[in-house]
Amino acid sequence: MGIRDLFNTIAKKASKAAGTPWVFCLALGLILAWALSGPLFGFNDTWQLVINTSTTIITFLMVFLIQHTQNADTAALHLKLDELIRVVSDADNILLDMEEMDDQKLEELRQRYEALAEKARNGSGGRSASPASGDGIERCPARED
């Protein structure tokens, strides 16, 4: 097992565990134990430093674990959506590569889809040309299987 596989396994398990009620209760218990130990240590600087350092380290590491799992989930979601767009004959293939568009093109598409949604809400939204096929946005060539 390579380092990437090992990290992927650890990140997935840690991310999944971090979201459980048991880990939340454990963290809450540790905070309560720390707070209750305050009088024992006289609420000194070292006592405060323990919780500050611990939470900083845990937060720092969790950022990387969460980002890793989020990246994997996002990539999987994009692949699933791309496959759905690919197999739906009326879908615009330009949507297959939306995540690579610049902000201006994304905003144009968003506005077109909002206008289409508004038409549908007002009852005048029959099946029409896709908003993605408007001015300034090139269509991707159709994919062949």
Side-chain angles (χ1 to χ4, degrees):
M1 177 180 278
I3 189 78
R4 284 182 188 250
D5 293 335
L6 180 62
F7 178 72
N8 191 38
T9 301
I10 291 170
K12 283 182 179 180
K13 287 182 180 181
S15 181
K16 192 170 201 159
T20 64
W22 294 108
V23 172
F24 175 80
C25 290
L26 175 66
L28 185 62
L30 288 171
I31 298 293
L32 288 173
W34 169 80
L36 293 173
S37 70
L40 180 66
F41 294 103
F43 299 101
N44 65 22
D45 290 343
T46 302
W47 174 79
Q48 291 178 22
L49 188 60
V50 166
I51 197 68
N52 290 338
T53 304
S54 301
T55 56
T56 300
I57 290 170
I58 291 168
T59 301
F60 180 76
L61 294 174
M62 286 305 293
V63 165
F64 294 103
L65 291 176
I66 291 168
Q67 186 63 50
H68 174 78
T69 55
Q70 185 66 40
N71 288 347
D73 288 348
T74 300
L77 184 62
H78 279 282
L79 290 171
K80 290 175 184 180
L81 290 172
D82 286 350
E83 177 62 8
L84 289 173
I85 293 167
R86 187 186 68 80
V87 300
V88 174
S89 61
D90 290 338
D92 272 321
N93 287 334
I94 192 170
L95 300 176
L96 289 169
D97 203 26
M98 276 180 71
E99 64 272 12
E100 301 301 326
M101 288 182 183
D102 63 32
D103 290 341
Q104 181 181 354
K105 287 182 181 177
L106 284 173
E107 180 60 23
E108 289 172 16
L109 275 174
R110 186 190 64 75
Q111 288 174 0
R112 289 183 187 140
Y113 275 102
E114 280 184 1
L116 187 63
E118 183 65 31
K119 276 183 172 179
R121 276 192 295 274
N122 294 333
S124 62
R127 187 91 174 130
S128 62
S130 169
S133 59
D135 300 38
I137 299 177
E138 297 176 25
R139 294 177 59 97
C140 294
R143 290 188 174 185
E144 294 183 19
D145 294 330

